[in-house]
Amino acid sequence: MIFCKAFCMSDDSIQIDHIRAQWAKARPDLDTAPMGLIGRLGRITRVLSREMEATFARHGLNQASFDLLATLRRAEPPHALTAGQLMDNMMITSGTVTNRINRLEVKGLVERRADKEDARRAIVGLTEAGFALIDRVIEDHVATQHRLTALLTDAEFAMLDAGLAGYLAKLDGREAG
């Protein structure tokens, strides 16, 4: 039952359906089907995010710090990037990346080094402690993701993944739609 409290959408689905029924009475001329889909996607996002944040918190991190450490870990050895490369990879602003770097540097998880090719730039890299931590966290994170998706059959997983990938591509304008 604990699993269901965290992951079951039935109460929220009923609430979304109730809201749509209210709109059907108040404005029968409106097609509120998208309201149901978008409401459910939003609720699913909140539940998944909460579970993943709990995983990061067990390691003293949050989504933002995990994202930066994971971006560096995925980079080729020596697992270091410029602030500009971090911004591009993480799709965040320079102020945001600087703030994240500063917080992780204080914790001893990343360090700034001089760029050998351009003295005006710094390279941000994982420390030994940062490397060890992100390796532990990514294993826990992947296990959390498996637990969160275990409710789906293989066919449901594949169908949902393909459908959402296609929908996202259309929303991003990569596919005519």
Side-chain angles (χ1 to χ4, degrees), residues 113 144 169 171:
R113 299 174 260 217
T144 296
L171 288 173

Side-chain angles (χ1 to χ4, degrees), residues 145-161:
Q145 290 180 325
H146 277 278
R147 180 175 51 84
L148 292 169
T149 58
L151 297 170
L152 302 169
T153 65
D154 290 346
E156 288 169 332
F157 183 100
M159 183 178 70
L160 185 59
D161 190 40

Side-chain angles (χ1 to χ4, degrees), residues 13-31:
S13 268
I14 291 167
Q15 181 63 23
I16 291 166
D17 292 340
H18 177 68
I19 291 167
R20 287 191 60 220
Q22 289 175 318
W23 277 117
K25 286 180 184 174
R27 289 290 309 270
D29 58 310
L30 295 176
D31 175 8

Side-chain angles (χ1 to χ4, degrees), residues 124-139:
V124 179
L126 291 171
T127 62
E128 285 184 32
F131 189 93
L133 177 63
I134 193 59
D135 268 3
R136 287 191 309 274
V137 177
I138 194 63
E139 288 177 14

